[in-house]
Amino acid sequence: DAKDSTRYMAALGQGGTGLPDRDYYLKDDARSKDIRTKYEQHVAKMFQLAGDAPALATVRAKVVLDLETRMAQAQWTRVEQRNPQKTYNKRSLDQLAGEAPGFDWKGYFKARGVKPADLNLSQPSYFQAFAKLASEVPATQWRTYLRWHALNATANLLPKAFGEEAFAFHGKVL
């Protein structure tokens, strides 16, 4: 707990995007647009390596980019995140569930065997927006998004072509 060093407290922070920062999704300059185009191509290539036909991989990459862009729109800027007073938002699990309906927060923690007495929401408005997305976006799109993040997170453990593709994007484009 940032305000009581004698206690530990669970903390939730914004995330869920494959690009390093919200600005990569929201800026309209040529460099940002180019990175988004290359990111979408990268996601499609990874889906193809995982067995998707090229047309399906392209559709799925668009789903990922759209969903991540919607998450980025709710994220706080780097400047907003620097304020320790603004990012300290102690809540109970019941308060979180009430403030951010649409996502089963209690079920989420229970499935992980965690019973937080309190937690800190670093960006409360992000979690409200995320919970709304969780209830509005079809499950098929969430499965595509989660499949992408599983591929992205394990690229170096998969066959060599996955690691090479991940490096081509993360190591060269970014």
Side-chain angles (χ1 to χ4, degrees):
D1 184 335
K3 292 191 176 184
D4 182 358
S5 63
T6 65
R7 312 182 51 229
Y8 287 98
M9 180 169 58
L12 298 178
Q14 68 188 22
T17 54
L19 292 173
D21 182 86
R22 71 186 289 275
D23 290 343
Y24 284 81
Y25 295 89
L26 306 179
K27 283 188 171 181
D28 254 356
D29 61 282
R31 181 178 181 270
S32 297
K33 288 178 181 179
D34 182 55
I35 288 173
R36 283 192 300 271
T37 298
K38 289 178 178 171
Y39 179 60
E40 190 172 343
Q41 292 167 350
H42 164 62
V43 174
K45 178 67 175 172
M46 293 288 276
F47 278 135
Q48 286 179 49
L49 291 170
D52 289 358
L56 179 58
T58 298
V59 169
R60 286 182 170 161
K62 288 185 186 315
V63 166
V64 168
L65 184 60
D66 177 63
L67 188 49
E68 289 185 0
T69 300
R70 291 173 71 183
M71 288 181 192
Q73 290 167 338
Q75 291 179 348
W76 291 15
T77 67
R78 289 181 189 184
V79 172
E80 290 172 310
Q81 293 182 73
R82 287 185 201 138
N83 183 335
Q85 303 311 317
K86 191 174 181 178
T87 58
Y88 185 85
N89 303 284
K90 188 174 178 180
R91 303 285 195 276
S92 70
L93 190 52
D94 286 337
Q95 287 174 312
L96 172 59
E99 289 177 26
F103 183 80
D104 183 7
W105 297 105
K106 292 178 181 181
Y108 174 82
F109 285 106
K110 183 179 180 182
R112 280 146 191 79
V114 177
K115 296 178 183 180
D118 294 308
L119 45 93
N120 180 49
L121 297 182
S122 294
Q123 304 85 13
S125 60
Y126 174 79
F127 290 96
Q128 292 166 359
F130 171 79
K132 186 175 183 200
L133 279 175
S135 67
E136 293 176 352
V137 173
T140 54
Q141 291 182 21
W142 282 112
R143 281 191 291 275
T144 295
Y145 164 84
L146 291 170
R147 183 172 176 236
W148 156 244
H149 281 275
L151 287 170
N152 191 41
T154 59
N156 290 329
L157 303 173
L158 296 170
K160 186 177 179 181
F162 287 91
E164 289 173 348
E165 175 57 30
F167 180 75
F169 181 74
H170 294 287
K172 294 181 180 178
V173 173
L174 289 181

